[in-house]
Amino acid sequence: MIRPIMKDPIFLSQKSSPATSDDLPVARDLMDTLAAHKEGCVGMAANMIGVAKRIIAFDDGGKYTVMLNPEIIKKSDPYDAEEGCLSLEGVRKTKRYKTIKVQYQTEAFQTRFKTYTGWTAQIIQHEIDHCNGILI
């Protein structure tokens, strides 16, 4: 189900709770909502659709991926970036890392580790910031 985009900065700056199996419908809604906004959006966190859970969805080289309870466990090569957000007006400066290693759970709650670089790494960092209540 496509959900409305949350724009309340007070709600968006709250830390999200860990996702559980009860939150799998939220992951599906997040994917549907991301697909509906594909023209102007490459990633979303659950709080962007009004659910404060640690779930992100993003475009991973043309394929949408969902991560439950993602955490960046390693990062290298910092750089300055400018990003926009569907939930916020304008573009803001932020620091990102060219390479990140993420620990997350699949929709079957299997723990995985994966290293990302470049644009995909930047998207994931933005969405994990949402999970942590950080607004750029």
Side-chain angles (χ1 to χ4, degrees):
M1 174 175 69
I2 299 168
R3 295 210 195 177
I5 303 300
M6 170 63 66
K7 297 189 180 272
D8 178 3
I10 295 170
F11 178 83
L12 293 168
S13 37
Q14 296 174 23
K15 279 191 167 192
S16 295
S17 303
T20 68
S21 58
D22 291 339
D23 299 312
L24 290 175
V26 174
R28 287 188 286 280
D29 290 352
L30 193 59
M31 291 283 274
D32 291 345
T33 307
L34 177 58
H37 292 277
K38 66 182 176 188
E39 297 304 318
C41 186
V42 291
M44 297 184 92
N47 65 353
M48 292 176 66
I49 60 169
V51 181
K53 291 291 186 163
R54 293 189 68 82
I55 307 169
I56 68 171
F58 58 95
D59 182 337
D60 187 3
K63 173 179 92 90
Y64 288 141
T65 298
V66 168
M67 290 181 172
L68 305 172
N69 303 312
E71 299 285 345
I72 297 171
I73 58 172
K74 190 175 181 182
K75 53 192 175 185
S76 62
D77 299 324
Y79 66 96
D80 293 323
E82 284 190 359
E83 297 175 354
C85 180
L86 204 55
S87 289
L88 304 167
E89 298 271 331
V91 176
R92 294 167 179 80
K93 293 181 185 289
T94 188
K95 179 180 277 189
R96 295 292 179 221
Y97 296 85
K98 291 180 185 173
T99 303
I100 60 170
K101 184 174 184 177
V102 182
Q103 176 182 326
Y104 65 97
Q105 292 174 308
T106 66
E107 291 175 89
F109 286 89
Q110 298 168 319
T111 299
R112 297 282 189 257
F113 298 87
K114 189 165 180 182
T115 299
Y116 291 90
T117 60
W119 177 236
T120 305
Q122 185 173 340
I123 298 166
I124 293 168
Q125 290 170 80
H126 180 103
E127 303 317 330
I128 291 176
D129 276 357
H130 271 294
C131 291
N132 294 330
I134 298 169
L135 300 180
I136 60 159

